[in-house]
Amino acid sequence: MNEIVLECRDVGHWFGSNRVLNEINLQVAAGQIVALVGPSGCGKSTLLRAILGTHPPKQGDILANGRKVTRPNRDVGIVYQNYSLYDFLTARDNVAFGLMLDETSLLTRCLKPFEYRKLRNVHREKAMAYLEKVGLAKAAHLFPAEMSGGMRQRVAIAQALIMEPQILLLDEPFGALDEATREELQLMLLRLYQENREAKQAGVKPPYTILIVTHELNEAIYVSDRVLGLSQYHEGGEQGATIVYDKAAPVFHPGDARNFEEFERQKDELRNAVFDPEQNQHHAEYVAFWQNLK
Ligand SMILES: Nc1ncnc2c1ncn2[C@@H]1O[C@H](COP(=O)(O)OP(=O)(O)OP(=O)(O)O)[C@@H](O)[C@H]1O
Ligand SMILES: [Mg+2]
């Protein structure tokens, strides 16, 4: 039922004498939207870079889609806070660009113009479908300079989604956006989750598995179905941060009211288990996602 698409096995990482990550054990199932929270500097981006494969961990293994991650690959995609679009391409061609690079060789592009044009049309059609998913079909012809920050970030997400990664990493993706734009992008994630639910109901593999880092606890609980806390505030903290919190989060539908008051209990729990420097207790009781499922 729960196909595991990301696994961290006893992952540890350090920079010189600075021990950052220790004994990270984690399994993420296809179709989950997992929020990752933790104190600033605890190692969230370091963990994402290890999963991405640009900076493999010094200890332990990471498996994406069952394969050990040793370098960047198509199984894992990432979007950062500061979108990286090509200024000289429209929204549609920015989204299609990765596929073009991946699926056509320089030789095809130069020497087989007919074949290339055919493929380019296929890629552009696919790009339009992904722009639609992120609510930008009408902006397909705009260049980055003609878009708002929120639009650019949607294009960046479509750019990552079109590669159909087994897992998509989002590192504080909405951090640079104003509140209203941020809320629109949160809704976009809820709509992707809705697609996951529909796929599950139809008995097919849900298409989007997402690990999103955010420092906003309301956002973490609202957009995800599972919240992970990474923290150095635990009994073995001098060895590095580990997963000290892992629980389900309430699932919202795109039309639901955002009643953040309902979140207070879980936010208190997170502040206590993940963000409190005095927290030196054993944290096993908070790492209960899979146990609670049984
Ligand atoms: N390339 C590097 N060289 C040396 N130390 C590094 C490097 N990258 C990160 N660190 C250190 O590793 C620790 C974790 O950094 P990281 O950026 O992963 O934290 P973070 O949880 O993403 O923080 P934030 O919430 O502020 O983004 C910090 O102490 C940081 O100084
Ligand atoms: Mg970071």
Side-chain angles (χ1 to χ4, degrees):
M1 271 313 307
N2 280 313
E3 185 185 337
I4 302 300
V5 292
L6 171 70
E7 186 167 2
C8 296
R9 290 187 187 154
D10 194 24
V11 165
H13 199 71
W14 53 88
F15 299 98
S17 60
N18 182 12
R19 303 201 62 100
V20 177
L21 301 174
N22 189 39
E23 288 183 10
I24 308 277
N25 286 295
L26 177 64
Q27 290 189 325
V28 175
Q32 291 184 333
I33 296 194
V34 182
L36 177 63
V37 301
S40 182
C42 73
K44 301 179 293 297
S45 297
T46 303
L47 180 59
L48 259 50
R49 281 192 288 269
I51 296 169
L52 185 66
T54 52
H55 300 72
K58 297 225 164 118
Q59 190 184 321
D61 289 325
I62 294 174
L63 287 89
N65 205 19
R67 286 188 286 265
K68 186 173 164 177
V69 175
T70 52
R71 66 179 102 88
N73 63 83
R74 260 188 90 161
D75 287 331
V76 190
I78 193 161
V79 175
Y80 300 99
Q81 179 169 319
N82 294 312
Y83 34 79
S84 47
L85 303 183
Y86 302 102
D87 290 334
F88 54 91
L89 295 177
T90 61
R92 181 195 63 185
D93 288 348
N94 257 293
V95 176
F97 193 68
L99 274 187
M100 190 270 283
L101 281 188
D102 204 67
E103 295 181 3
T104 64
S105 65
L106 191 60
L107 201 71
T108 313
R109 272 170 257 155
C110 298
L111 301 180
K112 299 181 179 167
F114 181 70
E115 199 176 306
Y116 169 53
R117 241 175 278 142
K118 217 166 85 185
L119 261 174
R120 192 176 60 180
N121 287 339
V122 172
H123 295 160
R124 282 179 165 168
E125 250 172 56
K126 211 166 169 190
M128 286 306 297
Y130 278 93
L131 281 174
E132 193 139 343
K133 280 187 203 301
V134 299
L136 271 191
K138 290 200 179 108
H141 60 288
L142 296 182
F143 288 91
E146 300 168 313
M147 298 177 215
S148 68
M151 290 162 89
R152 284 193 283 254
Q153 198 60 331
R154 282 169 199 254
V155 175
I157 290 171
Q159 223 176 23
L161 287 177
I162 200 172
M163 302 309 288
E164 296 176 354
Q166 292 295 316
I167 178 141
L168 175 63
L169 310 173
L170 302 175
D171 198 350
E172 302 208 33
F174 313 146
L177 306 175
D178 62 69
E179 198 50 37
T181 311
R182 197 171 176 134
E183 284 175 17
E184 281 172 30
L185 280 132
Q186 291 168 355
L187 278 175
M188 181 198 75
L189 288 183
L190 294 191
R191 280 193 285 271
L192 295 181
Y193 192 75
Q194 180 93 20
E195 270 192 61
N196 280 347
R197 256 197 307 248
E198 285 161 9
K200 271 193 204 164
Q201 276 158 11
V204 296
K205 184 174 174 179
Y208 312 111
T209 308
I210 297 176
L211 180 60
I212 172 173
V213 171
T214 172
H215 63 261
E216 250 284 330
L217 295 186
N218 283 330
E219 179 169 277
I221 297 170
Y222 181 59
V223 302
S224 74
D225 62 352
R226 174 180 176 190
V227 181
L228 284 175
L230 179 72
S231 179
Q232 66 277 45
Y233 305 140
H234 61 96
E235 72 277 20
E238 61 292 339
Q239 294 302 313
T242 198
I243 302 294
V244 297
Y245 186 97
D246 184 0
K247 284 195 182 183
V251 169
F252 284 79
H253 295 252
D256 290 348
R258 315 160 142 266
N259 185 359
F260 289 145
E261 276 164 31
E262 278 177 30
F263 294 3
E264 286 311 318
R265 192 195 52 78
Q266 192 158 22
K267 275 163 59 183
D268 277 347
E269 208 175 59
L270 282 165
R271 287 192 200 102
N272 176 35
V274 184
F275 291 90
D276 181 1
E278 306 296 316
Q279 176 62 264
N280 284 315
Q281 308 301 312
H282 198 62
H283 54 262
E285 64 176 296
Y286 293 114
V287 183
F289 181 81
W290 293 109
Q291 287 91 309
N292 289 349
L293 271 191
K294 281 173 197 153

